[in-house]
Amino acid sequence: MRPNEFELLIDGLRSLPGVGKKQAERIAYFLIDQDDIYLKDLINRISQIKNKIHFCKQCNNFAKDELCDICANESRDQTKLCIVSKIEDLYKIEETNSFDGLYFVLNSEIDVKKNQKIDSSIIRHLMNFLKDKNFKEVILATN
Ligand SMILES: [Zn+2]
């Protein structure tokens, strides 16, 4: 029988998206074999996520400063906007090199079947962005 702490680690790892029971066990066995320096560094990186990562005040993407690299890049097409559900969707589109406009990240899913509503503050933020920029083309790239 495995120690309770080990089972708790597996449960914690299973809460991560895309990690099933077998993967959680494999990661847990991997972690138990690592030295303290590795584990402390990993724990530190995870615990810093909320403190060190900031979001663009214009589009909600990851940002080092007030604006993200995309919003700060004046050579991007300022007349096109692509609205995405999540930051990871923005990066998937960026990897295709097929869009050179700006983005807006809703940070929530639009699911008509589940009648999910988006936070009204996000909608206000989006409406202000639309008014400020005067976009000619708006693409809704949500699922
Ligand atoms: Zn931005």
Side-chain angles (χ1 to χ4, degrees), residues 56-63 66-72 103:
C56 177
K57 72 169 193 173
Q58 186 166 270
C59 77
N60 300 322
N61 182 17
F62 294 132
E66 275 199 343
L67 294 179
C68 70
D69 293 344
I70 293 171
C71 289
Y103 293 91

Side-chain angles (χ1 to χ4, degrees), residues 58 71 78-79 102 128-135:
Q58 186 166 270
C71 289
Q78 306 288 314
T79 67
L102 302 178
N128 288 334
F129 191 27
L130 291 169
K131 278 184 213 161
D132 289 348
K133 287 288 184 180
N134 225 351
F135 293 105

